[in-house]
Amino acid sequence: MSSPQKPAAKKPAKRKVNPALMKPVQPDAALSAIVGSKPLPRGALTKNLWDYIKKNGLQDAKKRTQINADAALKVIFNGKKSVSMFEMTKLVSGHVKA
């Protein structure tokens, strides 16, 4: 008697990276002061922005979704003292050229 074979387990589908997120974008002068002036993919731009926020302690201690602006970020945040991390993404989009 042969034992019944188990069907091969399906491998989880690899997540496809959105090619639009990999395309380099050019930060404007205000954003370049924070993330650098070279064109970089949106993912890298966001990472650099978060590195800056963490390095300078700009994430609100009590409400972690709020980002407190310093002088450089205030320009990007349209003069606002504090924005949510979701609003930050929208505001940063206005400072890049595809």
Side-chain angles (χ1 to χ4, degrees), residues 47-59 64 67:
K47 183 190 178 309
N48 290 356
L49 188 60
W50 272 104
D51 288 345
Y52 176 85
I53 289 166
K54 288 177 180 173
K55 183 178 99 180
N56 293 296
L58 300 174
Q59 191 172 8
R64 305 288 290 162
I67 308 302

Side-chain angles (χ1 to χ4, degrees), residues 4-93:
Q5 289 184 346
K6 290 183 181 177
K10 283 187 177 179
K11 288 184 181 177
K14 282 194 174 182
R15 210 170 126 211
K16 291 182 182 168
V17 176
N18 184 342
L21 296 176
M22 297 309 293
K23 187 174 147 191
V25 292
Q26 178 64 53
D28 69 1
L31 191 55
S32 291
I34 297 169
V35 299
S37 59
K38 292 182 181 173
L40 64 167
R42 284 187 187 271
L45 184 138
T46 303
K47 183 190 178 309
N48 290 356
L49 188 60
W50 272 104
D51 288 345
Y52 176 85
I53 289 166
K54 288 177 180 173
K55 183 178 99 180
N56 293 296
L58 300 174
Q59 191 172 8
D60 194 273
K62 290 186 177 116
K63 194 170 183 191
R64 305 288 290 162
T65 59
Q66 287 295 115
I67 308 302
N68 299 317
D70 63 0
L73 281 178
K74 216 175 226 187
V75 176
I76 292 160
F77 295 170
N78 296 336
K80 295 181 180 180
K81 287 192 294 185
S82 179
V83 298
S84 74
M85 59 177 64
F86 309 106
E87 186 181 1
M88 177 184 74
T89 306
K90 185 175 131 187
L91 291 169
V92 167
S93 292

